Amino acid sequence: MAAKYISLAVACFLLLRCAYTDAQMVPAVFVFGDSLVDVGNNNHLKLSLAKADFPHNGVDFPGKKPTGRFSNGKNAADFLAEKLGLPTSPPYLSLTSATNKSNAFLGGVNFASGGAGILDGSDNIFKQSIPLNKQIEYYSTVYGDMVQQLGAVGAQKYFSKSIYGIVIGSNDILGYFHSGSDLRDKYTPQQYVDLMVLTLRGQLKRIYNLGARKLVMVGAGAIGCCPSQRNQNKTGECNQETNYWSLKYNEGVRSLLLELKSDLPDINYSFFDTYTVLLNFIQKPSVYGFTEVKAACCGLGNLNAKVACVPISHYCPNRSDHVFWDLYHPTEAAARIFTYYIFDGSQPIVYPINVRQLALM
Ligand SMILES: *[C@@H]1O[C@H](CO)[C@@H](O)[C@H](O)[C@H]1NC(C)=O
Ligand SMILES: *[C@@H]1O[C@H](CO)[C@@H](O)[C@H](O)[C@H]1NC(C)=O
Ligand SMILES: *[C@@H]1O[C@H](CO)[C@@H](O)[C@H](O)[C@H]1NC(C)=O
Ligand SMILES: *[C@@H]1O[C@H](CO)[C@@H](O)[C@H](O)[C@H]1NC(C)=O
């Protein structure tokens, strides 16, 4: 009896939710990437140091709940789904024990994992994560389930209409420049960035071969300006070297997408220039409602970046006026503005088309 009432309440909630969100634009949204879009996969990784399932993360999330998002509230995966008129895609690892997986997969799945990179091993600093290769392996099992459920023709249509968001690369770059990394002995920065782009090429082709046609590729931000990087500079300046190689990586991704498009004419994509938007926040904060662009909101020490956002850390009273929530991640307020530009922005910020145009195709 009780269970029946609860499921009725859930159904009502879902109906109300549908009435208040935008109309659904695509069948599903699949998300790949790192902590910028992890919505709880790492909660299931016992050994990972990249976790956010404790306070003060989630202090502005409904119910003040730490969910595994590296944010005070929602992140870009939530806002993207919301704009597309869908509930946030559930974390893949939360579904592996569900009785009807295919059903739960229907609106999309999130494979993103804090610490993840394009290259296996970029998570070394964090001990454990799901690298992009593994995320695609998980996606291939979802693909198989959906083909069984919808039939080959139905599944092809479903996948080709769905949105594939990919937010990756920052951990590879941070990993290269991390003190103690042996990558610098093996590769010049240019060779390393080329290796990232070449590896990504194979990964995007695999996703394509598993039905994806609408890609949302998010470039690396000005990661040299995140509080952890500023904290390593006496005067709190951005790290020019990591910024430079983030730009180089983004350049590589842009050419890769152009090349893929001529190779695979039926793909369409949006490339988002996170780098420029983040620099705009920093250079013209008042335009966006920010007053603090250097220090993290949650943490301890210089720029709140000496100690991460852990339960003993302090957090700022107003999260809406900070760009950074912790030493690496944007606040909900910043993620909301990023997603606004991804969705409705124009060239050169989002290129060649924005996600609204991509979704409506
Ligand atoms: C699983 O979900 C699918 C799609 O909604 C449905 O067709 C199927 O009957 C469900 N299976 C079970 C065992 O509930
Ligand atoms: C701090 O940043 C400035 C500006 O980028 C740079 O010139 C300087 O060398 C940096 N100092 C250190 C210790 O990294
Ligand atoms: C998507 O790609 C197809 C094939 O190249 C192209 O004809 C179409 O114009 C593209 N759509 C948009 C909105 O750019
Ligand atoms: C918090 O910051 C936002 C954005 O700058 C501002 O609009 C709001 O008034 C601030 N709230 C308080 C209580 O200061």
Side-chain angles (χ1 to χ4, degrees):
M1 242 358 221
K4 199 164 195 178
Y5 283 123
I6 287 167
S7 64
L8 262 179
V10 170
C12 292
F13 168 77
L14 288 174
L15 283 174
L16 281 174
R17 191 188 152 82
C18 292
Y20 286 118
T21 51
D22 301 314
Q24 185 178 335
M25 298 173 77
V26 295
V29 51
F30 295 97
V31 179
F32 299 83
D34 55 30
S35 54
L36 294 167
V37 286
D38 186 344
V39 292
N41 278 312
N42 278 19
N43 299 353
H44 302 271
L45 301 182
K46 289 205 172 63
L47 304 178
S48 181
L49 299 180
K51 289 208 177 202
D53 54 348
F54 46 77
H56 306 292
N57 295 295
V59 63
D60 298 310
F61 199 81
K64 282 196 169 228
K65 219 172 88 187
T67 59
R69 287 167 179 77
F70 298 78
S71 170
N72 57 305
K74 295 178 179 172
N75 69 24
D78 298 299
F79 290 123
L80 181 63
E82 196 176 299
K83 292 259 184 201
L84 292 166
L86 283 162
T88 298
S89 308
Y92 176 77
L93 293 183
S94 74
L95 297 174
T96 47
S97 60
T99 48
N100 193 345
K101 268 198 276 177
S102 312
N103 214 7
F105 289 162
L106 216 46
V109 184
N110 182 315
F111 303 94
S113 163
I118 293 170
L119 304 170
D120 296 346
S122 280
D123 64 330
N124 275 346
I125 316 168
F126 305 104
K127 302 280 185 263
Q128 192 185 20
S129 77
I130 313 164
L132 186 54
N133 282 329
K134 185 81 183 170
Q135 294 182 28
I136 297 170
E137 220 175 287
Y138 286 153
Y139 168 67
S140 73
T141 72
V142 172
Y143 176 86
D145 285 353
M146 295 307 295
V147 169
Q148 271 201 329
Q149 195 182 330
L150 303 175
V153 175
Q156 191 241 340
K157 192 169 170 206
Y158 162 87
F159 288 121
S160 67
K161 292 276 170 200
S162 296
I163 291 281
Y164 291 74
I166 302 151
V167 184
I168 198 86
S170 307
N171 288 315
D172 302 282
I173 297 169
L174 287 168
Y176 182 87
F177 291 104
H178 192 255
S179 60
S181 156
D182 62 354
L183 290 165
R184 280 197 252 194
D185 306 330
K186 293 189 191 148
Y187 309 102
T188 65
Q190 185 65 59
Q191 286 170 334
Y192 185 73
V193 165
D194 290 346
L195 176 67
M196 284 172 67
V197 174
L198 183 70
T199 308
L200 184 63
R201 183 180 196 283
Q203 291 161 335
L204 295 184
K205 278 200 125 173
R206 274 180 74 200
I207 298 176
Y208 172 88
N209 288 333
L210 295 167
R213 294 296 179 269
K214 298 184 180 189
L215 306 183
V216 179
M217 188 72 219
V218 174
I223 56 182
C225 296
C226 70
S228 77
Q229 297 279 296
R230 285 188 190 269
N231 178 44
Q232 290 162 23
N233 186 299
K234 277 195 194 69
T235 52
E237 300 300 314
C238 300
N239 183 322
Q240 300 299 340
E241 198 180 22
T242 33
N243 273 356
Y244 179 80
W245 290 105
S246 302
L247 274 177
K248 285 299 219 187
Y249 163 72
N250 289 342
E251 248 172 49
V253 174
R254 268 178 207 258
S255 333
L256 167 64
L257 289 168
L258 271 175
E259 185 238 320
L260 276 182
K261 175 77 188 171
S262 65
D263 195 14
L264 316 165
D266 58 341
I267 58 164
N268 290 94
Y269 68 87
S270 302
F271 174 81
F272 181 60
D273 184 0
T274 324
Y275 189 101
T276 299
V277 177
L278 183 57
L279 274 199
N280 287 345
F281 289 173
I282 292 169
Q283 284 160 4
K284 293 166 275 181
S286 63
V287 171
Y288 304 94
F290 296 121
T291 56
E292 178 58 66
V293 300
K294 293 186 176 175
C297 168
C298 182
L300 289 174
N302 181 41
L303 300 175
N304 290 328
K306 278 233 184 299
V307 174
C309 183
V310 291
I312 56 151
S313 301
H314 299 303
Y315 64 95
C316 58
N318 188 352
R319 274 78 65 190
S320 306
D321 61 18
H322 278 62
V323 171
F324 290 100
W325 162 243
D326 64 14
L327 72 182
Y328 291 115
H329 305 99
T331 53
E332 174 182 279
R336 188 193 302 275
I337 305 173
F338 279 133
T339 318
Y340 166 77
Y341 282 109
I342 294 174
F343 208 78
D344 280 313
S346 50
Q347 286 196 38
I349 294 295
V350 54
Y351 163 97
I353 54 173
N354 63 33
V355 176
R356 183 185 294 279
Q357 293 166 313
L358 187 67
L360 286 174
M361 276 178 357

